[in-house]
Amino acid sequence: MRHWTKTISTAVLAGALLAGGVAGGLWTGADRAYAASTAATTSSVINVSGSGEMLVKPDIAYLSIGVQSEGNTAAAAQKANAAKISKVTQLLKEKWSISADDIQTSQFNVQPNYIYNEKEGQKLKGYIANHTLSVKYRNLDKIGQLLDEATNSGANNVDNVQFSVENPSVYEEEAIGKALGNAQSKANAVAKAAKRELGPLVNVTVDGGEAQIFTQRENAMAKSMLDLGSGTEIQSGQVTVKVQVSAQYEMK
């Protein structure tokens, strides 16, 4: 997030002169009238907000790759799952050269698995272990192949693929220009409605640039395509980089 402030120096000078004149009692009536007029002018301001957006091609994907196993005991379910997740993790690191820093456990649990029928009521069937990895991947053209191989290695819970921009600040400058143009258009409309003219920009604050995440659900599609013997195809599309600004204009 970047912030900057620009204040018109004449307004500061007029305020200082006004304060000095009141304290010293040295001004003439004309001086006081001029100072009062200047103060009134600088207090006639318009506060507006503006937004700017850019559609850009994503350069990073966040993959959710998990395994799930069942067992008669919690330990058995966890042991079976540990073997599967280890195989998947090894695949990601060694074959796909994904850094350990880009692989993180996002979910891990072992839960009892109950079944219910009217005769016996609720009965413990066994246990289910889940282990999900959140993976950052930057070669977007090969995501489908990666997911296919992860599934073949034991991953049976591919929840979604999220696309984004790793460094939105690269696109901030153009988005800021659009946001400020949007704010100025609003300020012009306000001044016109008030039968005044728009003065200079007094102050502007940039509320930051962020890339919205585009999510593509993959679980059902990946499974159906694998069943057909074809590779999974992932379309990255575009993501939106958005900037908000708050601006203040003088009004003549």
Side-chain angles (χ1 to χ4, degrees):
M1 184 180 296
R2 301 177 181 175
H3 299 275
W4 71 86
T5 301
K6 176 183 177 183
T7 305
I8 305 304
S9 58
T10 54
V12 176
L13 178 60
L17 290 173
L18 180 59
V22 172
L26 300 177
W27 285 1
T28 65
D31 291 331
R32 292 190 181 93
Y34 173 77
S37 175
T38 304
T41 300
T42 56
S43 65
S44 297
V45 296
I46 302 171
N47 294 300
V48 291
S49 62
S51 62
E53 295 184 358
M54 289 185 61
L55 287 174
V56 299
K57 186 175 179 61
D59 55 20
I60 190 169
Y62 301 92
L63 315 177
S64 178
I65 301 174
V67 297
Q68 178 177 293
S69 303
E70 297 183 10
N72 293 329
T73 66
Q78 183 174 344
K79 184 178 180 180
N81 219 50
K84 293 179 183 178
I85 200 69
S86 177
K87 187 176 180 181
V88 172
T89 303
Q90 184 179 6
L91 171 78
L92 297 176
K93 290 180 178 180
E94 295 182 3
K95 181 171 182 178
W96 290 90
S97 302
I98 299 176
S99 168
D101 293 338
D102 290 334
I103 302 174
Q104 182 180 17
T105 294
S106 60
Q107 181 182 22
F108 175 81
N109 61 67
V110 180
Q111 297 178 336
N113 182 23
Y114 293 100
I115 58 174
Y116 178 84
N117 60 59
E118 294 183 359
K119 182 178 180 180
E120 297 179 327
Q122 182 172 277
K123 184 178 180 180
L124 180 65
K125 180 182 179 182
Y127 291 82
I128 299 177
N130 289 285
H131 192 154
T132 303
L133 301 175
S134 178
V135 181
K136 296 179 183 177
Y137 191 62
R138 296 171 180 83
N139 191 348
L140 305 190
D141 293 335
K142 293 187 176 182
I143 291 177
Q145 183 183 346
L146 185 156
L147 293 178
D148 289 344
E149 293 193 10
T151 301
N152 290 332
S153 295
N156 53 14
N157 187 12
V158 181
D159 184 34
N160 59 60
V161 177
Q162 296 182 323
F163 296 99
S164 189
V165 177
E166 192 165 16
N167 186 14
S169 62
V170 173
Y171 306 97
E172 276 188 3
E173 184 174 347
E174 186 172 345
I176 287 171
K178 290 184 177 182
L180 196 55
N182 179 240
Q184 185 170 338
S185 294
K186 293 179 181 179
N188 269 316
V190 173
K192 183 178 179 180
K195 302 188 185 306
R196 303 276 290 275
E197 293 183 5
L198 187 65
L201 177 65
V202 177
N203 182 290
V204 61
T205 301
V206 180
D207 296 330
E210 61 180 14
Q212 297 179 347
I213 293 178
F214 168 71
T215 301
Q216 183 169 346
R217 297 288 174 184
E218 275 308 304
N219 198 23
M221 187 177 75
K223 184 179 184 303
S224 63
M225 297 188 78
L226 284 172
D227 289 342
L228 293 173
S230 59
T232 303
E233 296 184 5
I234 305 296
Q235 305 299 326
S236 59
Q238 290 182 310
V239 296
T240 302
V241 176
K242 187 174 183 178
V243 170
Q244 298 277 350
V245 300
S246 300
Q248 186 180 70
Y249 291 85
E250 285 188 5
M251 193 164 52
K252 298 178 182 179

